[in-house]
Amino acid sequence: MAKAVLIQRRRSYLRENVFVEITVWNVPVSLRGSAHEFKYSMALVADGDCVLRYDNEAGKGDHRHFGAEETPYAFRGVEQLLADFSADVRGWLRGNPEG
């Protein structure tokens, strides 16, 4: 049986207490609830709190957490996922200049 292949894993600090952590795997079988062969988690963490996260856990499918709100996410490829996450990160940074 094929194994999952790590595509990307990184942590980048944007400010002293603010970082993004991105992990993307190519998986041999789609996760339950997702229609693609990727497993991902992308998080923006500020002062120890996860303030933004995109992920696709089994059974829930693709979704986005922004604060306490969780909404479905329409996955259209890894490049678009990274672009959408980056746009939300930039928006959060603009709205939280001290965060």
Side-chain angles (χ1 to χ4, degrees), residues 32-83:
R32 192 170 26 93
S34 294
H36 53 81
E37 295 178 344
F38 296 97
K39 168 69 179 139
Y40 61 87
S41 177
M42 302 180 177
L44 171 63
V45 178
D47 295 320
D49 294 323
C50 182
V51 296
L52 171 68
R53 187 171 77 243
Y54 283 54
D55 66 320
N56 66 330
E57 59 189 270
K60 287 182 102 174
D62 305 287
H63 59 281
R64 171 183 170 266
H65 303 261
F66 193 58
E69 183 180 350
E70 181 179 319
T71 57
Y73 174 74
F75 183 89
R76 296 176 306 278
V78 173
E79 285 185 32
Q80 187 63 52
L81 173 68
L82 290 166

Side-chain angles (χ1 to χ4, degrees), residues 86-97:
S86 295
D88 278 351
V89 167
R90 285 190 305 273
W92 186 90
L93 290 169
R94 277 192 307 272
N96 295 276

Side-chain angles (χ1 to χ4, degrees), residues 2 4 10 13-15 18 31 41-43 48 53 59 61 68-69 92 95:
R10 68 182 163 100
Y13 279 83
L14 308 175
R15 296 182 182 154
V18 179
L31 274 79
S41 177
M42 302 180 177
R53 187 171 77 243
E69 183 180 350
W92 186 90

